[in-house]
Structure formats: structure tokens, C-alpha cells
């Protein structure tokens, strides 16, 4: 098998356009600065828009880009029927994998995209490609391309990119800066590698990489005369909870590549890596063709229909060149050959298999008076429990959720609700009772095969609850901490910080201005948001 370089899904795109040369540190003597261009092609016919990375360098190993685009103007589509992709929301962990086109001898990795959940939010796109060996790209080459369709009334002349025409910011397509770039797999804005010791990167004083933009009209990659797609296989790897591990290229025999990728998987208490499963991106996230679960008591059978043979990924690659794989795990049990860190700590009781729910972080939403108010309890559900004073992993649920029961101050009918959880080792959920609620209780359940979810068996401590006196007081203290921190960061006290709030926090009759001053001073002293205990201590001195 040829030597594989398993490189992380890197980033790059149009950075520092218009800055003078003095903004960059000079490259080392004798080094030629690679040229990277983000090219947008308005495909003839007015239906599609293609984005590609073009590279010119004597020695090429890998390049990548994280771009920001306007989802109200562009939507990614596939290369055959032109069907729009349902882009995931929130973060890279929920990104959607999409097929790309690469150049001869190179591999275009699957693109990854997600959309900001806020109204009017941007969408973010990773593009990357690499070569299995150092490649001479002295002639500028488009190494990877993704295709979009125009949204609604958007026309091809509406598309704007930096450096080619003026536009009121933001442009249709531009560099993804800030947290979106930092949170991507490489955690950088722009990177091009020539070998392990030669890395060019934007915002790097040693080998700064300049990236330009170009906007053209013409034939697309997938249209007659526009070129084709060959090269190695593009593989996107996911962990058992659907988080993206990497996007790589590999030969048909990907044994070495997948073995290396296993090193990027995070530890799973109570479980060990078993197999890679072939998955597709469905309406509810990743799914296998035959419903194989990604964590099981026993190892998957050698003939599991959803498992991939690392020595022959070509047999399972979609459209002949792209593949989505998800890690599957087996329980660490004596039966499976393990003698330590056993799932459920080797205990058989149902209580030993309980998830742990953390103590709440409290705050309040909006105003409150003597009879009304909304209080937030944010908690973590951990796939952990304790035995003999030590944490251990418990059996992973197939469809974890939280059943919440609120008991009103008046009346006999409880209010029952369901919160489905992300199937991760650490899932966050929020409960919001009001002053009309006497107490709130919550438990983790498994929805797999369950129709009567209010009566489902508890998979966490079944006796967890908070009464009204607790969540009103702690929520009020948490809200005071939030407000003091916001003021320390340059904001102002909201009008909701009033005498009623102090009374609910257990400090009726305290001077309001004195309380604000004490909280502001304590927050400035610590340089962070106060704990509820610190808020209490600060107010006791007023």
C-alpha cells in the first residue's frame, strides 16, 4: 500500500486581503510562498454556483478552508440530481458531510457544513484536499470543489466575494473568522502543508499564507468540458455520538489510515473501539442501513452488514469516491477479555447502571413579582456513576431522554414533559419551572422501544427533585451573579434587578444600590462570574 499521510481537515480562504506586505513577516530565504485562491464559478445556465480551492506550489501535501457563506443566497447540492443538502445547525459537531470533486491524483475530502441557529445567522463550510505523496502543483490546480444552488430569487450576479467587487459586508462568501475557525478540526483560519516541517498558515509570523479570491463565469466541474473527478477515496469519520473526528483521503486499502484515525477517538469509560460502520446522513442524523447500534455489549460479528472492511473501502464508497464512517464500540467486560474498567463496574444491579445528573446551575428569566417568575435549572446528564468512591462508565442508552414532572402549587394534575438528549457522554438539558410550581423532578430514561415514556424506568437516580423555595432562591442568586458579571463586562443593570429579586434571593430589606455595588466589587475582584455562595457572602455584608 502506498504511504498515507493522515492529515486533519485543515482550513483556508481569503484572509488579509488588501493589507500591505508589511503586515506579513517575510518567508524564509529561498522559500517560494504558495498561492491559494478561493474560486467561485457562476456555472453557465444560471442554476449552480461552484466553490473551489486552487493551489500553486512546487510541493503540495494538503490544503483546507473554512469559509462563511450566506445560507439565504446559497444552498449546497449533490452532484447528480442537484438535490439540496439539509445542513446541520449549531456547531461543527452537528455538521453535515457533503460530496466534493477533486483533481486527478489528488483527493477532495468531503465538505463539512453547519448553519448558525440564530436568525439571519451565517453558514460555515470546510473545504479540503490532500495528496498521498508530495505533488508538484507548479501549474495552478483546482484541488477540490463543492456545488451550490441559488436560493429563492437570488441570481448569479448577486454573489459577492472579497477582492473582486465592492459589497456591503458580509459578502456572500468570505473567510470564517473567530470561533467558527478556531473550533474547526485544525483550529486555524488557513493552512497549507508541503511536508511535516513546512506549514504555511494565516496569522503566522513564520510562514504566513496569503489567500486571494476569484469570481468567474463558465462551465462547472460536473458539466461537459468542465473536467471530472478521480483520485483517492474521501472519507469522513464520526465518533459514536456523531461528532466529526476527521476528514481524510485514503487508498482502497485504508487499514493504516483508519488505524491512525482511531487515535483521535476520545476515551469511552467502560467501552473499547470495535469496528467502523458505514453510515449515511439521514433526517435524524447518522444512520446505518441495517440499524446497527454504535455501542454494544459484545463485539460486532465479522459479517455485520453495516461494518466496513478497512482493507477494501472501495466496495462501500458512495458514488465511487466518498464514504461516511462511524466508530462502534464494545463493552469492557470479562467476557470480552477485559479485567479492569468494566462497564457498570461489573455490578448487576439497576442502580449500578444509573446515569449521573449534576447539580443545577440556576438563573432566572425576565421579571418576577410575588406570584410570578421563571427559573432556569441547567444540568448535565453524565454516562457515569460511582462505585466505592470512583467514577465508572455505565451502559450507554440507545435513545436517552429526560422525563420532567412539575407539581403545581394548586391543583392535582402534574405537568409532564420530555427532553430528548444528544447521545453523548455529557449531555446538557434545561428545566424552567415557575413560581406556580411547588416542585420539579427529573430522571433519565431510555426511549428505545418505549411507548409510555412518562412511566419509563429510571436510568438515573429516581428521587432527584427541587422544591419551589430552592429554585426561586438559587435562581435569583444566579440571576444576580449573571447581572453583576454583565455589568463588569461593560453592560448595565437591568430594571429587573429590584427589591423583589433581593427578597427572592433571601435578602429582603437590603439596600438595592448597596447590593449592586457589593456584587460589582466582588465580581471585579474575582474577574469572573460569582458562585451563588459568593453572591450570598457579598450581600450579607450590605
Amino acid at each position: 500500500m502506498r504511504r498515507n499521510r493522515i492529515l486533519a481537515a485543515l482550513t483556508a480562504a481569503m484572509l488579509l486581503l488588501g493589507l500591505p506586505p508589511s503586515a506579513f513577516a517575510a518567508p524564509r530565504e529561498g522559500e517560494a510562498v504558495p498561492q491559494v485562491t478561493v474560486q467561485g464559478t457562476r456555472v453557465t445556465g444560471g442554476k449552480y454556483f461552484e466553490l473551489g480551492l486552487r493551489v500553486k506550489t512546487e510541493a503540495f501535501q494538503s490544503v483546507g478552508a473554512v469559509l462563511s457563506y450566506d445560507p439565504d443566497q446559497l444552498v449546497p447540492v449533490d452532484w447528480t440530481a442537484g438535490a439540496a443538502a439539509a445542513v446541520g445547525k449549531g456547531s461543527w459537531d452537528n455538521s453535515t458531510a457533503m460530496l466534493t470533486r477533486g483533481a486527478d491524483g489528488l483527493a477532495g475530502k468531503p465538505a463539512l457544513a453547519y448553519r448558525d441557529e440564530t436568525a439571519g445567522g451565517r453558514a460555515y463550510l470546510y473545504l479540503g484536499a490532500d495528496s498521498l505523496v508530495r505533488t508538484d502543483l507548479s501549474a495552478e490546480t483546482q484541488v477540490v470543489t463543492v456545488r451550490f444552488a441559488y436560493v429563492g430569487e437570488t441570481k448569479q450576479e448577486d454573489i459577492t466575494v472579497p477582492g473582486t467587487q465592492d459589497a456591503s459586508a458580509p459578502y456572500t462568501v468570505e473567510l470564517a473568522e473567530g470561533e467558527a475557525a478556531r473550533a474547526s478540526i485544525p483550529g486555524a483560519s488557513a493552512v497549507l502543508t508541503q511536508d511535516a516541517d513546512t506549514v504555511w498558515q494565516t496569522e503566522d509570523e513564520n510562514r504566513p499564507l496569503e489567500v486571494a479570491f476569484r469570481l468567474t463565469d463558465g462551465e462547472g466541474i460536473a458539466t461537459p468540458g468542465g473536467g471530472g473527478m478521480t483520485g483517492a477515496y474521501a472519507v469522513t469519520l464520526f465518533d459514536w455520538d456523531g461528532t466529526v473526528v476527521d476528514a481524510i483521503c485514503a487508498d482502497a486499502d485504508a487499514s493504516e489510515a483508519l488505524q491512525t484515525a482511531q487515535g483521535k477517538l476520545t476515551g469511552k469509560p467502560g467501552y473499547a473501539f470495535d469496528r467502523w460502520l458505514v453510515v449515511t446522513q439521514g433526517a435524524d442524523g447518522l444512520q446505518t442501513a441495517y440499524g446497527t447500534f454504535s455501542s454494544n455489549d459484545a463485539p460486532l460479528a465479522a459479517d455485520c452488514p453495516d461494518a466496513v472492511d478497512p482493507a477494501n473501502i472501495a466496495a462501500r464508497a458512495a458514488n465511487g469516491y466518498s464514504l461516511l464512517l462511524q466508530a462502534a464500540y464494545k463493552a469492557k467486560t470479562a467476557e470480552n477479555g477485559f479485567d479492569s474498567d468494566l462497564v457498570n463496574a461489573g455490578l448487576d444491579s439497576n442502580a449500578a447502571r444509573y446515569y449521573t445528573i449534576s447539580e443545577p446551575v440556576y438563573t432566572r428569566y425576565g421579571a418576577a413579582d410575588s406570584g410570578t417568575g421563571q427559573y432556569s435549572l441547567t444540568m448535565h446528564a453524565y454516562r457515569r456513576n460511582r462505585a466505592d468512591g470512583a467514577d465508572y462508565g455505565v451502559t450507554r442508552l440507545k435513545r436517552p431522554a429526560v422525563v420532567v414532572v412539575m407539581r403545581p402549587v394548586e391543583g392535582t394534575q402534574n405537568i409532564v414533559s420530555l427532553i430528548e438528549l444528544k447521545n453523548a457522554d455529557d449531555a446538557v438539558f434545561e428545566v424552567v419551572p415557575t413560581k406556580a410550581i411547588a416542585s420539579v423532578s427529573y430522571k433519565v430514561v431510555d426511549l428505545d422501544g418505549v411507548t409510555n415514556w412518562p412511566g419509563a424506568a429510571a436510568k438515573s437516580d429516581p428521587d432527584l427533585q427541587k422544591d419551589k423555595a430552592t429554585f426561586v432562591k438559587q435562581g435569583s442568586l444566579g440571576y444576580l451573579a449573571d447581572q453583576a458579571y454583565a455589568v463588569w463586562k461593560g453592560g448595565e443593570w437591568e430594571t429587573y434587578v429590584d427589591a423583589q429579586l433581593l427578597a427572592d434571593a433571601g435578602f429582603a430589606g437590603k439596600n438595592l444600590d448597596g447590593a449592586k455595588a457589593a456584587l460589582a466589587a466582588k465580581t471585579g475582584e474575582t474577574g469572573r462570574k460569582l458562585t451563588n455562595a459568593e453572591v450570598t457572602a457579598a450581600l450579607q455584608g450590605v
Side-chain angles (χ1 to χ4, degrees), residues 3 23 81 191 221 267 281 298 300 310 479 495 500:
R3 179 174 65 95
V191 179
I221 293 294
Q281 190 87 31
L300 294 173
Y479 183 65
T495 56
Q500 181 65 53

Side-chain angles (χ1 to χ4, degrees), residues 293-477:
F293 190 42
S294 61
S295 51
N296 302 276
D297 289 339
L300 294 173
D303 60 353
C304 172
D306 289 318
V308 68
D309 178 4
N312 185 22
I313 63 171
R316 307 297 296 274
N319 296 321
Y321 60 90
S322 187
L323 196 64
L324 307 182
L325 299 180
Q326 186 171 18
Y329 294 79
K330 57 189 174 185
K332 288 184 176 180
T333 62
E335 185 177 355
N336 292 340
F338 296 90
D339 58 7
S340 62
D341 195 20
L342 303 183
V343 68
N344 306 318
L347 304 176
D348 294 328
S349 70
N350 187 53
R353 297 170 182 262
Y354 280 161
Y355 277 47
T356 296
I357 296 180
S358 69
E359 274 297 301
V361 173
Y362 295 91
T363 190
R364 192 189 80 184
Y365 289 130
D369 57 30
S370 59
T372 62
Q374 302 175 105
Y375 300 89
S376 167
L377 290 71
T378 300
M379 290 161 278
H380 292 254
Y382 298 106
R383 190 185 59 80
R384 302 294 288 261
N385 209 331
R386 299 185 69 82
D388 300 324
D391 285 334
Y392 60 92
V394 301
T395 299
R396 183 172 180 243
L397 304 179
K398 288 194 173 184
R399 290 185 58 196
V402 173
V403 172
V404 180
V405 178
M406 296 190 186
R407 298 169 179 82
V409 174
E410 298 179 358
T412 59
Q413 288 284 356
N414 293 335
I415 302 168
V416 185
S417 60
L418 182 72
I419 304 172
E420 295 203 45
L421 300 176
K422 181 177 180 180
N423 204 348
D425 284 347
D426 177 4
V428 180
F429 66 97
E430 180 185 36
V431 177
V432 184
T434 70
K435 279 186 176 177
I437 299 299
S439 67
V440 56
S441 62
Y442 36 86
K443 63 180 180 180
V444 174
V445 301
D446 190 353
L447 298 181
D448 183 57
V450 171
T451 55
N452 177 26
W453 57 260
K459 299 298 183 181
S460 62
D461 185 342
D463 298 321
L464 294 176
Q465 75 169 38
K466 301 296 178 185
D467 60 25
K468 175 181 175 180
T470 298
F471 64 71
V472 169
K473 179 177 181 178
Q474 296 300 322
S476 300
L477 290 171

Side-chain angles (χ1 to χ4, degrees), residues 91-236:
S91 71
W92 291 112
D93 287 346
N94 296 320
S95 59
T96 296
M98 296 171 297
L99 303 183
T100 59
R101 295 292 173 103
D104 288 348
L106 306 176
K109 299 175 183 177
L112 303 174
Y114 79 90
R115 181 172 181 172
D116 190 329
E117 292 183 285
T118 60
R122 302 282 286 180
Y124 299 94
L125 173 78
Y126 160 76
L127 278 179
D130 58 29
S131 173
L132 300 177
V133 296
R134 284 185 65 172
T135 302
D136 185 351
L137 295 184
S138 297
E140 185 181 85
T141 303
Q142 187 150 324
V143 296
V144 63
T145 308
V146 69
R147 173 168 276 197
F148 291 87
Y150 301 112
V151 175
E153 300 299 319
T154 303
K155 301 179 178 61
Q156 62 181 28
E157 56 267 25
D158 297 331
I159 305 303
T160 59
V161 299
T164 63
Q165 75 265 61
D166 292 331
S168 57
Y171 290 89
T172 304
V173 179
E174 58 186 353
L175 178 67
E177 295 181 339
E179 187 59 29
R182 290 191 295 271
S184 64
I185 291 172
S189 293
V191 179
L192 181 143
T193 63
Q194 295 174 318
D195 56 47
D197 299 319
T198 310
V199 180
W200 298 81
Q201 182 172 324
T202 54
E203 301 177 338
D204 189 314
E205 295 183 357
N206 295 314
R207 289 194 182 95
L209 180 66
E210 299 182 57
V211 184
F213 270 75
R214 185 183 301 149
L215 195 59
T216 65
D217 298 298
E219 297 292 343
I221 293 294
T223 53
M229 159 62 191
T230 61
Y233 296 93
V235 185
T236 302

Side-chain angles (χ1 to χ4, degrees), residues 1-5 61 132-134 251 256:
M1 186 183 88
R2 289 182 294 170
R3 179 174 65 95
N4 282 306
R5 288 186 58 84
Q61 194 83 68
L132 300 177
V133 296
R134 284 185 65 172
D251 291 321
E256 181 183 344

